[in-house]
Amino acid sequence: EDQVTQSPEALRLQEGESSSLNCSYTVSGLRGLFWYRQDPGKGPEFLFTLYSAGEEKEKERLKATLTKKESFLHITAPKPEDSATYLCAVQARGGSNYKLTFGKGTLLTVNP
Amino acid sequence: GAVVSQHPSWVICKSGTSVKIECRSLDFQATTMFWYRQFPKQSLMLMATSNEGSKATYEQGVEKDKFLINHASLTLSTLTVTSAHPEDSSFYICSAPLPPGLSLVKQYFGPGTRLTVT
């Protein structure tokens, strides 16, 4: 069974204080790993897709990296508007082409 | 970017009644859509896969007679919660992959529907 574990559950940062969120996964064969941002009472917003170990992607203050067992979402000099829940999900090879298995998320709060 | 809408954004219903939630892809066609449920501080849990022109596929443990799914067109899927009970109160989110037909695609999510059953 595919599993995704995110840590920490919650993270509180001061504006400008860089940090990383972790996503550990167990999957029979990884087709892709996804990062989403979710604001309260809203649906998830797509951030990144990573396909293979060693891959990195960046968007503004966010950078996602992938190894064979985990992914990191690095946040550089965060701003209050980066406050949200960050979700990690994996898609496995075989079975349903589109099924995503999500972690519980990391609630990030950035204080001004 | 691709847009997926849901209606209503929130609904309150009485125990024993049924409620319908709509999911629309606004600027693309979706032969497949997905329905998730999210409880507070929990993961999104896939409930079912909605297939245009055929029966929905339900995840283990999800009652297909309680959660009726109809994929009426290439841009519309509906989820009907029948005989709702307070334990069905949750945040229901749909998603659609873009573009359809590829094995690894982005999934775009709707804004969600908050269901409260009293």
Side-chain angles (χ1 to χ4, degrees):
Chain A
E1 183 180 338
D2 303 334
Q3 288 190 331
V4 178
T5 303
Q6 291 188 246
S7 62
E9 290 186 11
L11 179 63
R12 190 177 293 270
L13 301 174
Q14 288 298 122
E15 185 172 3
E17 180 187 0
S18 301
S19 188
S20 296
L21 313 182
N22 177 263
C23 171
S24 297
Y25 63 91
T26 303
V27 65
S28 54
L30 181 69
R31 178 174 280 156
L33 184 140
F34 300 76
W35 282 98
Y36 287 86
R37 169 189 170 131
Q38 186 177 25
D39 292 302
K42 302 272 184 76
E45 175 188 343
F46 174 82
L47 293 174
F48 303 108
T49 307
L50 301 168
Y51 300 95
S52 58
E55 189 174 3
E56 298 183 354
K57 289 195 176 174
E58 289 188 64
K59 179 181 178 180
E60 297 180 353
R61 295 177 293 281
L62 300 176
K63 177 180 170 181
T65 62
L66 180 66
T67 72
K68 289 186 178 180
K69 294 183 178 181
E70 58 190 350
S71 176
F72 290 94
L73 185 65
H74 306 277
I75 303 177
T76 302
K79 298 181 178 182
E81 52 262 43
D82 295 322
S83 298
T85 296
Y86 290 85
L87 299 170
C88 172
V90 296
Q91 186 180 74
R93 296 184 188 279
S96 167
N97 281 340
Y98 305 120
K99 181 176 179 178
L100 294 178
T101 301
F102 280 87
K104 292 185 178 181
T106 294
L107 174 61
L108 174 65
T109 304
V110 182
N111 295 316
Chain B
V3 178
V4 175
S5 70
Q6 281 184 242
H7 179 81
S9 55
W10 59 270
V11 58
I12 301 173
C13 70
K14 292 186 177 181
S15 186
T17 63
S18 296
V19 62
K20 181 186 287 187
I21 302 170
E22 293 185 348
C23 176
R24 293 182 185 272
S25 55
L26 297 185
D27 51 0
F28 65 101
Q29 294 181 334
T31 54
T32 301
M33 291 184 177
F34 300 89
W35 287 96
Y36 293 83
R37 182 166 54 182
Q38 186 179 33
F39 292 106
K41 297 186 179 181
Q42 297 296 315
S43 293
L44 275 76
M45 298 298 296
L46 179 65
M47 298 175 64
T49 303
S50 173
N51 304 298
E52 191 270 337
S54 63
K55 291 182 179 180
T57 305
Y58 291 82
E59 295 300 302
Q60 192 172 9
V62 177
E63 299 176 58
K64 61 181 180 181
D65 294 330
K66 181 171 182 63
F67 298 99
L68 301 180
I69 290 174
N70 182 29
H71 201 132
S73 72
L74 288 172
T75 59
L76 174 64
S77 175
T78 60
L79 169 68
T80 301
V81 183
T82 62
S83 186
H85 288 94
E87 56 265 31
D88 298 323
S89 298
S90 188
F91 193 52
Y92 291 85
I93 309 174
C94 70
S95 73
L98 173 76
L102 296 184
S103 61
L104 180 60
V105 299
K106 296 178 186 178
Q107 279 199 38
Y108 288 88
F109 285 82
T113 296
R114 174 73 59 191
L115 170 63
T116 301
V117 184
T118 61

